[in-house]
Amino acid sequence: MRIRSGFLTIIRLLIISGIVLITGLLFTQFVGLSAATDNLYSTQKVNLALRRTAHHLLRAAGDSTSRIPAVQQLDPHTFRLQLATNFDYDRLPGLLRESFRLHNVMATYDVAVLDCARGEVQLGYSVKDLLRNESIPCVNRSLAAGCYTLQITFNSPAPSAKRVPFLPLLGIGGLLVGLLFAVRHRKEHTNSTVEQPIASIPASSLIRFGRSSLDLPNLTLITNTTPHSLTYREAKLLRLLVSHPNQILERDQILKLVWEDEGITVGRSVDVFVSRLRKLLQDDPTIKIAAVHGVGYRLEIQNIVSQ
């Protein structure tokens, strides 16, 4: 029995270790992805780069006094900056790229120039055009006088390392959790049916009542020569009822005497176990477990056979 218990303990430790390992891998994956995004750009760096770009665009347009408004972040990847006057669009690609380089913003991005009044895209390009040395769309097209919004949308970063498959890990984690509960249930069942002794009960002979008998050492109920295996708790409850034939046992008293060693008691446990015992005793017409409403239970025995 000790060998089996030790084996179950080892299996449980292995399962817990596997769950911890999978949890760590998932955590590392998500943290690593977040860190990769932070390494490519941060809100503060983008803010500084856009304000630098706006400053130089306005100065090139002859405006050195207008206040540059705050940069707005619409979502984790999209930033906007409003300029109260038109600017030289041809200077934007090189100036913006230089500002991002100075502030270590490494992610790729798309640029859109929006009309403040209607929010419609007037001009735009992708930095990938610059990286491929291709011509910038809408170059040499002038902007009419007015207010414009500069919108930068960063592309989601591609992970630099091979990502751990997410769904398979969840499946394996679920399997390990299931095995852990199965091992625990098996251990509890083994403890309750085999390893736990019934305190203060003699184990030398059968306890006879009606046409049935209770074999405590083997946790077996025999009704009309038919054996039924009992759990530790079922045997203890039946032993208590048999010890008080035709007497009312209050529910609290049953809980105290049968479940007290667990440290906790659950009222419904009594009803569930009584229902189980009733089914096992149904072949013995001399035995009946009667419910006394609002009080408890009474084991009614006809023709009691002395022990």
Side-chain angles (χ1 to χ4, degrees), residues 52-128:
R52 178 185 182 275
T53 302
H55 169 73
H56 287 287
L57 287 175
L58 291 177
R59 285 194 61 181
D63 183 355
S64 58
T65 59
S66 295
R67 176 180 172 273
I68 300 176
V71 176
Q72 297 178 338
Q73 184 174 4
L74 303 184
D75 57 51
H77 307 294
T78 306
F79 298 81
R80 280 185 178 180
L81 177 61
Q82 189 177 98
L83 301 178
T85 184
N86 60 321
F87 55 88
D88 186 357
Y89 174 77
D90 293 354
R91 296 175 59 91
L92 176 61
L95 186 57
L96 182 60
R97 186 180 182 188
E98 179 184 7
S99 297
F100 282 155
R101 180 181 59 81
L102 289 175
H103 290 283
N104 296 317
V105 177
M106 308 302 294
T108 58
Y109 53 89
D110 297 325
V111 179
V113 179
L114 311 177
D115 180 271
C116 293
R118 297 182 298 275
E120 298 177 350
V121 177
Q122 303 297 316
L123 303 170
Y125 68 94
S126 172
V127 74
K128 295 179 181 179

Side-chain angles (χ1 to χ4, degrees), residues 198 201 207 214 216 233-245 247 249-259 277 299:
I198 298 182
I201 298 177
I207 300 177
L214 175 61
L216 283 173
R233 204 66 58 189
E234 290 169 350
K236 194 171 183 180
L237 175 58
L238 183 57
R239 173 65 176 87
L240 177 63
L241 293 172
V242 171
S243 299
H244 300 78
Q247 298 179 29
L249 293 175
E250 295 182 0
R251 179 182 296 272
D252 291 342
Q253 181 183 9
I254 295 174
L255 286 171
K256 178 177 177 59
L257 296 176
V258 179
W259 275 270
L277 291 178
L299 180 68

Side-chain angles (χ1 to χ4, degrees), residues 41-62:
Y41 64 88
S42 68
T43 299
Q44 182 179 8
K45 292 178 180 180
V46 173
N47 192 316
L48 293 174
L50 289 180
R51 297 186 70 82
R52 178 185 182 275
T53 302
H55 169 73
H56 287 287
L57 287 175
L58 291 177
R59 285 194 61 181

Side-chain angles (χ1 to χ4, degrees), residues 8 11-12 15 179-188:
L8 291 177
I11 294 297
R12 184 168 59 180
I15 293 173
L179 289 175
L180 178 61
F181 278 102
V183 169
R184 183 174 180 180
H185 176 75
R186 180 184 179 89
K187 183 176 181 180
E188 290 178 350

Side-chain angles (χ1 to χ4, degrees), residues 218-232:
N218 296 311
L219 298 179
T220 302
L221 168 65
I222 304 172
T223 56
N224 285 336
T225 71
T226 302
H228 305 281
S229 297
L230 300 177
T231 66
Y232 164 73

Side-chain angles (χ1 to χ4, degrees), residues 232-299:
Y232 164 73
R233 204 66 58 189
E234 290 169 350
K236 194 171 183 180
L237 175 58
L238 183 57
R239 173 65 176 87
L240 177 63
L241 293 172
V242 171
S243 299
H244 300 78
N246 300 312
Q247 298 179 29
I248 298 176
L249 293 175
E250 295 182 0
R251 179 182 296 272
D252 291 342
Q253 181 183 9
I254 295 174
L255 286 171
K256 178 177 177 59
L257 296 176
V258 179
W259 275 270
E260 186 178 41
D261 57 340
E262 291 185 350
I264 57 174
T265 57
V266 180
R268 283 293 299 169
S269 297
V270 178
D271 303 326
V272 172
F273 278 74
V274 167
S275 176
R276 163 74 172 159
L277 291 178
R278 281 172 172 166
K279 292 179 180 179
L280 298 179
L281 290 168
Q282 62 185 359
D283 292 335
D284 187 346
T286 66
I287 302 296
K288 178 183 178 182
I289 301 178
V292 181
H293 183 69
V295 181
Y297 290 95
R298 176 178 59 231
L299 180 68

